[in-house]
Amino acid sequence: MKLVKLLCAAAVGCMMSAPMALSTAWAQDQIVIKFSHVVAPETPKGKGAEKFKELAEKMTNGKVKVEVYPNSQLYKDKEELEALQLGAVQMLAPSLAKFGPLGAKEFEVFDLPYIFPNKDVLRRVTEGAIGKQLFQKLESKGIIGLAYWDNGFKIMSANKPVIKPEDVKGLKMRIQSSKVLDAQMRALGALPQVMAFSEVYQALQTGVVDGTENPPSNMYTQKMHEVQKNATLTEHGYLGYAVIVNKKFWEGLPADVRTGLEGAMKEATAYANDIAQNENDVSLAQMKASGKTAFHTQTKEEREAWIKALKPVHKDAESRVGKDLIEAIYKEAAAAGFKM
Ligand code: LMR
């Protein structure tokens, strides 16, 4: 108990799950991980978080209890990162587009339109040297990166057909807090508006914004298809997550507990990345079946027009995310047989 208390004193935010009055030492010693996120439980991230909870509790023999808080129940986008740094929660999985305000703007490289020809190239990046280097950038912010989790490729939605890039011109488009996404929308002539995920449905419903971009699983589980008449399956950009923990908390854990949690994270990551594509496919099918949004599949020519309109964003982003980093990703794509 003494050891745990000391560890908890050292680890910001380490909390006992049970009141001190509980009689069993076991209950008193249990370490709680609050895992907060902003999406619905039935999304790739929501399911990944639940899988991690199940595995973490098993693989630490009950020494750890994971409490998952979905749907921005505890914190919205920006606040959750602050809460993690302060130790009010121990684990998050923010989208890679949300690390800019933290000072880790290199993560916005993932937002570049068409930078990942497919998930294999993405995986080469996240599982290789680039993924590691990006995680190292978080350490000075008091954060440790544990894993990269997929969601999927985004589609563009609005209240009018968005077939050609010009169709987005003049529309107010909700974006995540990424300067690269801001540049992307401006390249289309749209008016980007940064907004917390939890506010998007209402903003679309009331016309505060006209449209947005998200993978199908997010669009469906937030019911955005009920308030968007049109969507084009552009798949112009990737949305994925970094699972992160409070550094002090993580390093203050007993070694055996940390090893158990690492094992749980490895398995939960394989699971989350395995289900992500199917979850998005099912969500898209459900939205199509609902008949509320008309989905447009691009012709080859239409896709090329979007690529042409959006590729200049790569050059614009060099000063923000680093030319070397962008080129390192091109190299991974080239190694997988794609010319960027
Ligand atoms: C968004 O804000 O659109 C996404 O980052 C939400 C999420 O976590 O998938």
Side-chain angles (χ1 to χ4, degrees), residues 96-121:
L96 300 163
K98 292 180 183 166
F99 286 81
L102 203 68
K105 53 191 192 317
E106 295 83 355
F107 279 79
E108 292 178 4
V109 77
F110 288 97
D111 300 328
L112 282 171
Y114 304 105
I115 193 153
F116 299 110
N118 61 26
K119 289 229 179 104
D120 291 340
V121 176

Side-chain angles (χ1 to χ4, degrees), residues 38-212:
V38 301
V39 294
E42 45 296 316
T43 53
K45 176 162 66 178
K47 290 188 176 178
E50 285 301 330
K51 179 58 87 181
F52 173 71
K53 169 184 167 64
E54 176 198 320
L55 293 165
E57 292 177 355
K58 194 167 86 195
M59 290 166 89
T60 61
N61 298 315
K63 286 183 189 161
V64 169
K65 180 170 183 249
V66 180
E67 295 175 356
V68 180
Y69 297 93
N71 267 328
S72 309
Q73 237 170 60
L74 285 186
Y75 301 103
K76 295 189 205 173
D77 302 1
K78 191 164 166 281
E79 296 143 16
E80 70 171 12
L81 280 157
E82 288 160 5
L84 184 82
Q85 285 181 302
L86 291 170
V89 293
Q90 289 68 43
M91 188 174 280
L92 306 173
S95 123
L96 300 163
K98 292 180 183 166
F99 286 81
L102 203 68
K105 53 191 192 317
E106 295 83 355
F107 279 79
E108 292 178 4
V109 77
F110 288 97
D111 300 328
L112 282 171
Y114 304 105
I115 193 153
F116 299 110
N118 61 26
K119 289 229 179 104
D120 291 340
V121 176
L122 171 84
R123 208 68 79 220
R124 292 175 75 97
V125 171
T126 53
E127 287 176 6
I130 301 175
K132 278 201 193 74
Q133 281 158 19
L134 285 170
F135 275 168
Q136 273 159 14
K137 299 210 178 285
L138 297 176
E139 301 220 0
S140 63
K141 326 276 177 213
I143 291 172
I144 289 188
L146 295 181
Y148 291 96
W149 285 4
D150 274 346
N151 189 335
F153 290 97
K154 294 175 286 187
I155 59 187
M156 199 71 83
S157 66
N159 268 328
K160 58 171 264 206
V162 281
I163 314 294
K164 298 191 209 110
E166 304 87 275
D167 296 334
V168 188
K169 203 169 170 189
L171 297 184
K172 286 176 276 168
M173 298 295 282
R174 179 269 170 174
I175 56 163
Q176 305 174 80
S177 62
S178 155
K179 295 278 186 248
V180 168
L181 294 180
D182 184 281
Q184 172 201 271
M185 289 301 185
R186 287 186 198 281
L188 296 171
L191 308 165
Q193 301 210 2
V194 175
M195 188 179 287
F197 186 64
S198 56
E199 291 162 13
V200 182
Y201 174 85
Q202 208 185 352
L204 290 169
Q205 190 187 36
T206 55
V208 169
V209 288
D210 304 304
T212 189

Side-chain angles (χ1 to χ4, degrees), residues 28-50:
Q28 287 182 0
D29 287 357
Q30 211 176 21
I31 295 165
V32 173
I33 294 180
K34 291 191 177 190
F35 187 162
S36 170
H37 68 81
V38 301
V39 294
E42 45 296 316
T43 53
K45 176 162 66 178
K47 290 188 176 178
E50 285 301 330

Side-chain angles (χ1 to χ4, degrees), residues 209-249:
V209 288
D210 304 304
T212 189
E213 52 167 11
N214 244 304
S217 61
N218 277 351
M219 188 175 171
Y220 178 60
T221 53
Q222 296 299 316
K223 298 188 167 49
M224 291 180 204
H225 63 297
E226 293 182 0
V227 287
Q228 292 279 262
K229 289 198 181 70
N230 298 86
T232 296
L233 306 177
T234 45
E235 302 201 320
H236 59 282
Y238 172 75
L239 192 151
Y241 309 106
V243 186
I244 54 176
V245 280
N246 177 293
K247 185 170 188 280
K248 226 168 168 185
F249 167 77

